[in-house]
Amino acid sequence: MYRKTHFKARPDLYQELSKEFGAYFSRMSTYWKRISARYPRQIFILMLASILLSGVLAFTVMRVKDTGPLPTLSGPGADVTQGFGQIIGAGQALKKVLDLQNQINIVLHKDSLTAADSLLVKNAIRQLEIIHHELNVKPTH
C-alpha cells in the first residue's frame, strides 16, 4: 500500500541534442579554441572586415528604394477616424466654452465693472459664437 513511485523525468531538448551531437560539439569547440589561440589577430581582422562590408552593403546595394505615397483610408475606416477627430474637436471646443463661461462668471460677480471687463465679456461672447458656428457646420459630401 505504501510503495514508493519511481518515475523518469522527461528529457528536454538540450539533453537529447547533447546525447546525439555531444561528441561533434566537443570536437568543434576544441578545434575552435586551437584556431583562435593560434590566429587571434587574423580572426579579429576578419570580424572587422565583415562588419565594414556589411555596413557598406547596407548603405549601397541593399538600400530600400523610395516607397510611394501611403494609401489613404477610404470607406468605413475613414469614417471612424473622421468621427474620432470630430469627437476630439468637440471636446476641445467644450473645454474652451467652459473656460469662457468661467471668465464671464468672474466678471459678472464683480461689484463694479470697468471698460476692460466689458471688452473681455464682448470678446468671450464673440468667441462663443465662433465656436457655435464651427460646431454646427454641415458637412458637404
Side-chain angles (χ1 to χ4, degrees):
M1 183 167 176
Y2 295 107
R3 288 179 103 184
K4 192 173 190 181
T5 307
H6 297 286
F7 66 94
K8 288 184 181 178
R10 285 192 211 160
D12 60 352
L13 181 65
Y14 178 74
Q15 288 175 345
E16 289 297 318
L17 286 177
S18 66
K19 278 184 198 174
E20 196 68 32
F21 301 107
Y24 300 114
F25 290 149
S26 64
R27 274 193 234 150
M28 283 297 288
S29 68
T30 56
Y31 181 70
W32 177 250
K33 286 178 186 176
R34 218 178 316 141
I35 293 217
S36 62
R38 192 175 296 168
Y39 305 107
R41 183 175 292 151
Q42 288 83 354
I43 292 173
F44 180 72
I45 290 171
L46 181 69
M47 288 188 329
L48 284 180
S50 66
I51 290 171
L52 290 174
L53 179 67
S54 69
V56 167
L57 288 176
F59 288 110
T60 57
V61 177
M62 297 180 179
R63 189 170 198 105
V64 177
K65 305 288 187 241
D66 290 334
T67 59
L70 295 175
T72 58
L73 290 176
S74 61
D79 295 337
V80 170
T81 56
Q82 184 180 10
F84 282 133
Q86 288 175 346
I87 290 171
I88 290 172
Q92 291 173 346
L94 178 64
K95 183 180 178 197
K96 182 73 173 173
V97 166
L98 291 175
D99 290 340
L100 292 171
Q101 282 181 342
N102 193 16
Q103 288 177 358
I104 291 172
N105 284 337
I106 289 172
V107 170
L108 291 178
H109 283 57
K110 285 185 177 180
D111 290 334
S112 62
L113 298 177
T114 62
D117 293 332
S118 64
L119 283 176
L120 182 84
V121 170
K122 192 174 183 180
N123 287 335
I125 291 173
R126 188 176 300 134
Q127 287 179 1
L128 286 171
E129 289 174 352
I130 291 171
I131 292 171
H132 176 71
H133 288 297
E134 287 176 356
L135 289 178
N136 291 326
V137 172
K138 302 285 183 203
T140 57
H141 53 129

